[in-house]
Amino acid sequence: SQTIHQWPATLVQPVGSPLSLECTVEGTSNPNLYWYRQAAGRGLQLLFYSVGIGQISSEVPQNLSASRPQDRQFILSSKKLLLSDSGFYLCAWNRQDSFYEQYFGPGTRLTVT
Amino acid sequence: KQEVTQIPAALSVPEGENLVLNCSFTDSAIYNLQWFRQDPGKGLTSLLLIQSSQREQTSGRLNASLDKSSGRSTLYIAASQPGDSATYLCAVRQAGSYQLTFGKGTKLSVIP
């Protein structure tokens, strides 16, 4: 069976500090990978997606970036955090088949102070 | 631009009641629609996936229907239980897109 991991689970960072959130998927190969942000009172917002190693597409221009150094690893980064970066960050994956059912990780709660 | 709306935003029902959650979308050119459940502070759990060519899907006490032409989907929960209390999210994938567009969810409370 497939499992998706995210860490850390919770993070409190000061404004201007760097960020690195990691997501890994087990039990599958060549998945599509996604980063979403869920802010209080708002819906889920797609930030980045990747269909292969080194292939990153950005949906929302901002001070965040994503990388996919390995097939099942997806990293979300920032050089300098803003207060508005606070939120719940979710990683998701789906198989590259005809159904594209998406599965989500447990999330990382980021608070920028 | 696709927009997904879920009504009501919150719903409270007594245990044992059957209930319906609604989802509407503005662009009917969808590839599929997915219903999720989210518990407080947790990730999303996939409940049901309906392909655009399908009319409904069932899993246990859950039944989801899709009327693509009218831009509507419903999630029917039979014999509700306190453990069903959570936020339910609807999301659609456009044809030719990797992106899921989410509604803001319906927060369900099942009272014992």
Side-chain angles (χ1 to χ4, degrees):
Chain A
S1 65
Q2 298 81 27
T3 310
I4 179 169
H5 302 280
Q6 285 187 246
W7 63 88
T10 307
L11 193 60
V12 180
Q13 293 282 87
V15 168
S17 63
L19 173 73
S20 181
L21 303 181
E22 190 165 340
C23 170
T24 59
V25 180
E26 296 178 354
T28 190
S29 59
N30 198 27
N32 290 341
L33 295 170
Y34 305 82
W35 278 113
Y36 291 86
R37 178 169 59 202
Q38 188 176 36
R42 302 176 65 179
L44 272 83
Q45 180 184 39
L46 178 65
L47 302 175
F48 301 95
Y49 68 89
S50 171
V51 299
I53 296 175
Q55 300 179 58
I56 308 294
S57 296
S58 173
E59 291 294 316
V60 182
Q62 54 204 326
N63 69 319
L64 299 173
S65 63
S67 63
R68 184 170 178 175
Q70 300 181 43
D71 181 44
R72 292 170 291 171
Q73 184 184 30
F74 206 21
I75 296 172
L76 183 69
S77 304
S78 174
K79 293 182 179 178
K80 289 185 178 181
L81 283 168
L82 307 173
L83 284 174
S84 58
D85 291 324
S86 292
F88 193 47
Y89 287 81
L90 290 156
C91 181
W93 73 276
N94 63 252
R95 280 186 291 266
Q96 294 195 22
D97 59 19
S98 60
F99 298 109
Y100 294 104
E101 184 169 1
Q102 208 159 105
Y103 303 94
F104 281 74
T108 294
R109 173 72 59 189
L110 172 66
T111 303
V112 182
T113 59
Chain B
K1 177 185 173 184
Q2 178 73 271
E3 293 183 1
V4 179
T5 303
Q6 292 187 248
I7 295 174
L11 180 63
S12 183
V13 300
E15 180 177 2
E17 195 164 289
N18 301 327
L19 59 101
V20 174
L21 305 181
N22 297 295
C23 171
S24 62
F25 46 94
T26 55
D27 186 345
S28 62
I30 66 169
Y31 186 78
N32 59 33
L33 183 146
Q34 199 167 350
W35 281 94
F36 295 89
R37 167 188 173 136
Q38 185 175 29
D39 293 291
K42 305 293 185 183
L44 279 65
T45 300
S46 179
L47 297 174
L48 289 164
L49 174 74
I50 309 178
Q51 298 294 86
S52 61
S53 58
Q54 298 176 317
R55 294 301 299 264
E56 65 178 278
Q57 281 282 4
T58 298
S59 176
R61 294 183 294 109
L62 305 179
N63 176 278
S65 68
L66 174 64
D67 185 341
K68 197 174 71 165
S69 61
S70 67
R72 295 181 185 275
S73 176
T74 61
L75 179 66
Y76 174 83
I77 302 177
S80 59
Q81 303 171 358
D84 294 331
S85 298
T87 296
Y88 290 80
L89 295 155
C90 162
V92 298
R93 182 186 299 277
Q94 292 301 111
S97 170
Y98 289 102
Q99 182 170 354
L100 280 179
T101 302
F102 282 83
K104 292 187 177 181
T106 294
K107 185 175 182 180
L108 173 66
S109 298
V110 180
I111 311 303

